[in-house]
Amino acid sequence: MVRRYFALAGQADKEPYLALFADDAVVEDEGRTHRGIDEIRAWRSGTPLVSYEITDVEQTPAGTVVTATISGDFPGSPFAGLRFRFEEYDDTRIRRLRIAPGAGAGRPLRRGPGRWLPWPA
């Protein structure tokens, strides 16, 4: 399910992406909570199309945490260290997803050999 999320999240056609969520799913992003598929649809329609470069995957007691760098047409792109915490999901639907910056997230990046690297401090 987590792999499908990232495969579909960067696509222009939002319907397959939205089909990943349960009707009563909850998504938290940028300090806002979106409850149910209608609110998730409205949230997603207001977000720019981005690409994802997964930099870490961790299994925790609270769920699967994926850290990624996102790139797209938005101020601050690329943004490193965004964490996607899949707290409730199974093979068919996502029920709870929290999206928030991790520690040290958002540092300016430069293009390195095959990946984005932080600028030296």
Side-chain angles (χ1 to χ4, degrees), residues 8-22:
L8 295 173
Q11 303 297 317
D13 182 0
K14 304 228 185 301
E15 290 309 310
Y17 169 83
L18 292 168
L20 298 174
F21 292 91

Side-chain angles (χ1 to χ4, degrees), residues 39-58:
E39 287 187 18
I40 293 170
R41 182 184 311 280
W43 158 72
R44 193 63 185 175
S45 68
T47 61
L49 192 60
V50 299
S51 62
Y52 301 85
E53 180 181 338
I54 295 172
T55 57
D56 189 50
V57 178
E58 180 183 2

Side-chain angles (χ1 to χ4, degrees), residues 24-75:
D24 60 348
V26 176
V27 174
E28 295 178 22
D29 184 32
E30 296 185 11
R32 294 188 180 113
T33 301
H34 312 280
R35 298 181 191 284
I37 199 67
D38 290 336
E39 287 187 18
I40 293 170
R41 182 184 311 280
W43 158 72
R44 193 63 185 175
S45 68
T47 61
L49 192 60
V50 299
S51 62
Y52 301 85
E53 180 181 338
I54 295 172
T55 57
D56 189 50
V57 178
E58 180 183 2
Q59 297 297 329
T60 72
T64 303
V65 179
V66 176
T67 305
T69 297
I70 60 170
S71 302
D73 186 19
F74 62 90

